[in-house]
Amino acid sequence: MTMSIGYAAGAFDLFHVGHLNILRHAKDHCDLLVAGVVSDEMLHEVKGVDPFIPTAERAAIVRDIRFVDHVFIETVPDKMAVWEQVRFTHFFKGDDWRGTEKGLRLEREFAAVGVEVVYFPYTAHTSSTQLRRALESASAETLHDHEQRSESA
C-alpha cells in the first residue's frame, strides 16, 4: 500500500482555530502530514504583508502540533516547485479557494502529477486578516491615546 503524503500550507501567523482545524482535517486524510510555512519574504512578496511572528517561530509552533509530522518552509510561490521538493500526494486548502481561478489552476496542475486537491471548510468567523486588523486598530488607538496624553501634559 502506498503512503499518502498530505501538504497543507499557510502563513500560520497569529495562529488560531482555523489553522488548527485545517491541520486536524488534513491529518485525517493522509498518512503523513507536511505543513508548509510561508516564509516572511514570500508573505511580503505575494500578499504585501509582514507577519507578526517570524518564520522560525511560526515553524516551531506548527512543528509542535501533534497532527503535523514535518514542516517545510516555503520560499517560492509556485506550488508545483514545492511539490518537486516535497512530493506530496494530497494538497489541502480552505474551501474559499474552491471554484476560484487559483483553485482551478491548482487542480489542473496537480492532476497532471497525480496529486488530489482536497478542500476543507474555511473558518469564516476567525481569520488572520481579522486578527491583524484588530491588532493594528488597537495599536493605532493606543498610539493616539499616548499622543493625546503627551499633548495635554
Side-chain angles (χ1 to χ4, degrees), residues 107-151:
E107 290 173 26
R108 285 190 305 274
E109 290 175 355
F110 283 147
V113 294
V115 172
E116 180 183 355
V117 177
V118 180
Y119 295 102
F120 295 124
Y122 179 73
T123 309
H125 65 278
T126 304
S127 78
S128 295
T129 302
Q130 291 170 328
L131 291 171
R132 177 179 298 281
R133 285 185 191 136
L135 283 171
E136 289 170 349
S137 176
S139 293
E141 287 177 23
T142 300
L143 179 62
H144 179 74
D145 290 348
H146 177 75
E147 288 172 348
Q148 283 188 330
R149 282 193 299 272
S150 295
E151 288 173 4

Side-chain angles (χ1 to χ4, degrees), residues 4-141:
S4 61
I5 301 170
Y7 188 75
F12 299 111
D13 194 25
L14 305 174
F15 198 88
H16 57 76
V17 72
H19 296 138
L20 188 62
N21 287 341
I22 198 164
L23 294 171
R24 178 186 298 119
H25 291 312
K27 183 60 177 182
D28 288 342
H29 287 80
C30 63
D31 299 313
L32 183 89
L33 178 61
V34 179
V37 176
V38 178
S39 70
D40 296 349
E41 297 77 16
M42 198 170 97
L43 271 174
H44 185 79
E45 176 187 328
V46 174
K47 291 191 172 186
V49 297
D50 295 313
F52 282 94
I53 312 297
T55 304
E57 293 177 22
R58 290 183 284 121
I61 291 166
V62 172
R63 187 176 290 113
D64 281 345
I65 294 169
R66 69 181 168 105
F67 314 119
V68 175
D69 297 299
H70 297 286
V71 168
F72 178 81
I73 305 298
E74 280 195 15
T75 58
V76 296
D78 180 1
K79 297 300 185 212
M80 287 303 294
V82 172
W83 176 81
E84 289 285 337
Q85 295 179 59
V86 179
R87 295 296 178 155
F88 45 84
T89 59
H90 295 75
F91 182 81
F92 303 111
K93 202 68 185 155
D95 65 3
D96 55 320
W97 276 53
R98 186 190 309 266
T100 67
E101 183 181 328
K102 284 181 177 181
L104 294 170
R105 185 175 66 246
L106 271 178
E107 290 173 26
R108 285 190 305 274
E109 290 175 355
F110 283 147
V113 294
V115 172
E116 180 183 355
V117 177
V118 180
Y119 295 102
F120 295 124
Y122 179 73
T123 309
H125 65 278
T126 304
S127 78
S128 295
T129 302
Q130 291 170 328
L131 291 171
R132 177 179 298 281
R133 285 185 191 136
L135 283 171
E136 289 170 349
S137 176
S139 293
E141 287 177 23

